[in-house]
mmCIF file of all heavy atoms in Angstrom:
data_model
loop_
_atom_site.group_PDB
_atom_site.id
_atom_site.type_symbol
_atom_site.label_atom_id
_atom_site.label_comp_id
_atom_site.label_asym_id
_atom_site.label_seq_id
_atom_site.Cartn_x
_atom_site.Cartn_y
_atom_site.Cartn_z
ATOM 1 N N LYS B 151 26.192 -109.289 155.204
ATOM 2 C CA LYS B 151 27.496 -109.965 155.017
ATOM 3 C C LYS B 151 27.662 -110.465 153.579
ATOM 4 O O LYS B 151 28.699 -110.256 152.949
ATOM 5 C CB LYS B 151 27.626 -111.145 155.995
ATOM 6 C CG LYS B 151 28.083 -110.716 157.381
ATOM 7 C CD LYS B 151 28.524 -111.908 158.213
ATOM 8 C CE LYS B 151 27.316 -112.451 158.931
ATOM 9 N NZ LYS B 151 27.447 -113.452 159.889
ATOM 10 N N LEU B 152 26.614 -111.119 153.083
ATOM 11 C CA LEU B 152 26.692 -111.669 151.731
ATOM 12 C C LEU B 152 26.796 -110.548 150.698
ATOM 13 O O LEU B 152 27.521 -110.653 149.709
ATOM 14 C CB LEU B 152 25.470 -112.546 151.441
ATOM 15 C CG LEU B 152 25.463 -113.233 150.081
ATOM 16 C CD1 LEU B 152 26.676 -114.137 149.941
ATOM 17 C CD2 LEU B 152 24.183 -114.031 149.881
ATOM 18 N N PHE B 153 26.078 -109.463 150.959
ATOM 19 C CA PHE B 153 26.079 -108.329 150.050
ATOM 20 C C PHE B 153 27.491 -107.764 149.927
ATOM 21 O O PHE B 153 27.988 -107.490 148.831
ATOM 22 C CB PHE B 153 25.107 -107.272 150.585
ATOM 23 C CG PHE B 153 24.783 -106.161 149.624
ATOM 24 C CD1 PHE B 153 24.228 -106.425 148.382
ATOM 25 C CD2 PHE B 153 25.024 -104.839 149.970
ATOM 26 C CE1 PHE B 153 23.919 -105.404 147.500
ATOM 27 C CE2 PHE B 153 24.705 -103.812 149.090
ATOM 28 C CZ PHE B 153 24.160 -104.091 147.859
ATOM 29 N N ILE B 154 28.158 -107.613 151.074
ATOM 30 C CA ILE B 154 29.524 -107.073 151.044
ATOM 31 C C ILE B 154 30.448 -108.016 150.282
ATOM 32 O O ILE B 154 31.285 -107.579 149.481
ATOM 33 C CB ILE B 154 30.035 -106.829 152.474
ATOM 34 C CG1 ILE B 154 29.204 -105.709 153.115
ATOM 35 C CG2 ILE B 154 31.499 -106.460 152.475
ATOM 36 C CD1 ILE B 154 29.552 -105.433 154.544
ATOM 37 N N THR B 155 30.293 -109.320 150.530
ATOM 38 C CA THR B 155 31.111 -110.298 149.802
ATOM 39 C C THR B 155 30.945 -110.123 148.294
ATOM 40 O O THR B 155 31.912 -110.098 147.536
ATOM 41 C CB THR B 155 30.690 -111.731 150.178
ATOM 42 O OG1 THR B 155 30.591 -111.830 151.587
ATOM 43 C CG2 THR B 155 31.677 -112.742 149.639
ATOM 44 N N GLU B 156 29.695 -109.975 147.868
ATOM 45 C CA GLU B 156 29.415 -109.854 146.439
ATOM 46 C C GLU B 156 29.982 -108.556 145.877
ATOM 47 O O GLU B 156 30.501 -108.522 144.755
ATOM 48 C CB GLU B 156 27.899 -109.923 146.214
ATOM 49 C CG GLU B 156 27.478 -110.110 144.778
ATOM 50 C CD GLU B 156 27.883 -111.451 144.178
ATOM 51 O OE1 GLU B 156 28.135 -112.389 144.948
ATOM 52 O OE2 GLU B 156 27.968 -111.544 142.944
ATOM 53 N N LEU B 157 29.842 -107.466 146.651
ATOM 54 C CA LEU B 157 30.385 -106.191 146.189
ATOM 55 C C LEU B 157 31.896 -106.298 146.000
ATOM 56 O O LEU B 157 32.449 -105.813 145.008
ATOM 57 C CB LEU B 157 30.082 -105.081 147.204
ATOM 58 C CG LEU B 157 28.639 -104.598 147.301
ATOM 59 C CD1 LEU B 157 28.484 -103.648 148.483
ATOM 60 C CD2 LEU B 157 28.213 -103.893 146.034
ATOM 61 N N ASN B 158 32.548 -106.952 146.954
ATOM 62 C CA ASN B 158 33.996 -107.117 146.845
ATOM 63 C C ASN B 158 34.362 -107.961 145.632
ATOM 64 O O ASN B 158 35.307 -107.660 144.905
ATOM 65 C CB ASN B 158 34.552 -107.770 148.124
ATOM 66 C CG ASN B 158 34.691 -106.754 149.241
ATOM 67 O OD1 ASN B 158 34.910 -105.567 148.983
ATOM 68 N ND2 ASN B 158 34.555 -107.196 150.464
ATOM 69 N N LYS B 159 33.574 -109.020 145.409
ATOM 70 C CA LYS B 159 33.823 -109.882 144.245
ATOM 71 C C LYS B 159 33.773 -109.086 142.952
ATOM 72 O O LYS B 159 34.507 -109.339 142.019
ATOM 73 C CB LYS B 159 32.730 -110.967 144.196
ATOM 74 C CG LYS B 159 33.277 -112.390 144.269
ATOM 75 C CD LYS B 159 32.360 -113.423 143.656
ATOM 76 C CE LYS B 159 31.242 -113.849 144.568
ATOM 77 N NZ LYS B 159 30.434 -114.953 144.041
ATOM 78 N N ARG B 160 32.848 -108.132 142.906
ATOM 79 C CA ARG B 160 32.684 -107.372 141.671
ATOM 80 C C ARG B 160 33.465 -106.073 141.662
ATOM 81 O O ARG B 160 33.367 -105.297 140.715
ATOM 82 C CB ARG B 160 31.192 -107.073 141.461
ATOM 83 C CG ARG B 160 30.420 -108.338 141.189
ATOM 84 C CD ARG B 160 28.912 -108.094 141.220
ATOM 85 N NE ARG B 160 28.223 -109.364 141.103
ATOM 86 C CZ ARG B 160 27.667 -109.830 139.977
ATOM 87 N NH1 ARG B 160 27.701 -109.094 138.876
ATOM 88 N NH2 ARG B 160 27.072 -111.002 139.963
ATOM 89 N N GLY B 161 34.217 -105.816 142.724
ATOM 90 C CA GLY B 161 35.040 -104.618 142.758
ATOM 91 C C GLY B 161 34.261 -103.319 142.838
ATOM 92 O O GLY B 161 34.722 -102.278 142.384
ATOM 93 N N ILE B 162 33.082 -103.359 143.450
ATOM 94 C CA ILE B 162 32.281 -102.132 143.564
ATOM 95 C C ILE B 162 32.592 -101.467 144.897
ATOM 96 O O ILE B 162 32.502 -102.095 145.945
ATOM 97 C CB ILE B 162 30.775 -102.469 143.478
ATOM 98 C CG1 ILE B 162 30.477 -103.111 142.125
ATOM 99 C CG2 ILE B 162 29.935 -101.216 143.656
ATOM 100 C CD1 ILE B 162 29.056 -103.563 141.963
ATOM 101 N N LYS B 163 32.945 -100.170 144.819
ATOM 102 C CA LYS B 163 33.353 -99.496 146.055
ATOM 103 C C LYS B 163 32.429 -98.360 146.476
ATOM 104 O O LYS B 163 32.425 -97.963 147.633
ATOM 105 C CB LYS B 163 34.776 -98.916 145.893
ATOM 106 C CG LYS B 163 35.817 -99.961 145.547
ATOM 107 C CD LYS B 163 36.414 -100.589 146.794
ATOM 108 C CE LYS B 163 37.394 -101.698 146.411
ATOM 109 N NZ LYS B 163 36.980 -103.009 146.823
ATOM 110 N N THR B 164 31.710 -97.761 145.517
ATOM 111 C CA THR B 164 30.882 -96.608 145.891
ATOM 112 C C THR B 164 29.418 -96.900 145.612
ATOM 113 O O THR B 164 29.054 -97.418 144.566
ATOM 114 C CB THR B 164 31.283 -95.354 145.101
ATOM 115 O OG1 THR B 164 31.178 -95.649 143.699
ATOM 116 C CG2 THR B 164 32.696 -94.925 145.432
ATOM 117 N N LEU B 165 28.555 -96.550 146.594
ATOM 118 C CA LEU B 165 27.125 -96.806 146.435
ATOM 119 C C LEU B 165 26.296 -95.615 146.883
ATOM 120 O O LEU B 165 26.756 -94.813 147.694
ATOM 121 C CB LEU B 165 26.673 -97.981 147.308
ATOM 122 C CG LEU B 165 27.464 -99.239 147.379
ATOM 123 C CD1 LEU B 165 28.360 -99.209 148.601
ATOM 124 C CD2 LEU B 165 26.528 -100.427 147.510
ATOM 125 N N VAL B 166 25.076 -95.545 146.362
ATOM 126 C CA VAL B 166 24.074 -94.616 146.874
ATOM 127 C C VAL B 166 22.850 -95.446 147.252
ATOM 128 O O VAL B 166 22.408 -96.286 146.489
ATOM 129 C CB VAL B 166 23.684 -93.551 145.826
ATOM 130 C CG1 VAL B 166 22.367 -92.884 146.208
ATOM 131 C CG2 VAL B 166 24.763 -92.506 145.697
ATOM 132 N N PHE B 167 22.328 -95.202 148.458
ATOM 133 C CA PHE B 167 21.152 -95.924 148.921
ATOM 134 C C PHE B 167 19.903 -95.077 148.778
ATOM 135 O O PHE B 167 19.934 -93.868 149.023
ATOM 136 C CB PHE B 167 21.289 -96.252 150.415
ATOM 137 C CG PHE B 167 21.900 -97.583 150.696
ATOM 138 C CD1 PHE B 167 23.284 -97.745 150.654
ATOM 139 C CD2 PHE B 167 21.112 -98.666 151.014
ATOM 140 C CE1 PHE B 167 23.849 -98.981 150.935
ATOM 141 C CE2 PHE B 167 21.672 -99.902 151.292
ATOM 142 C CZ PHE B 167 23.036 -100.058 151.254
ATOM 143 N N PHE B 168 18.804 -95.706 148.384
ATOM 144 C CA PHE B 168 17.495 -95.072 148.481
ATOM 145 C C PHE B 168 16.700 -95.925 149.461
ATOM 146 O O PHE B 168 16.478 -97.109 149.204
ATOM 147 C CB PHE B 168 16.785 -95.071 147.118
ATOM 148 C CG PHE B 168 17.111 -93.869 146.283
ATOM 149 C CD1 PHE B 168 18.189 -93.887 145.408
ATOM 150 C CD2 PHE B 168 16.352 -92.718 146.376
ATOM 151 C CE1 PHE B 168 18.499 -92.777 144.645
ATOM 152 C CE2 PHE B 168 16.648 -91.595 145.605
ATOM 153 C CZ PHE B 168 17.733 -91.627 144.744
ATOM 154 N N GLY B 169 16.297 -95.356 150.591
ATOM 155 C CA GLY B 169 15.645 -96.156 151.611
ATOM 156 C C GLY B 169 14.267 -95.665 152.009
ATOM 157 O O GLY B 169 14.063 -94.481 152.253
#
Side-chain angles (χ1 to χ4, degrees):
Chain B
K151 278 194 271 187
L152 183 60
F153 192 58
I154 294 176
T155 313
E156 193 66 21
L157 288 172
N158 281 331
K159 239 204 279 186
R160 293 170 186 259
I162 299 176
K163 302 272 176 245
T164 57
L165 315 97
V166 162
F167 268 81
F168 272 90

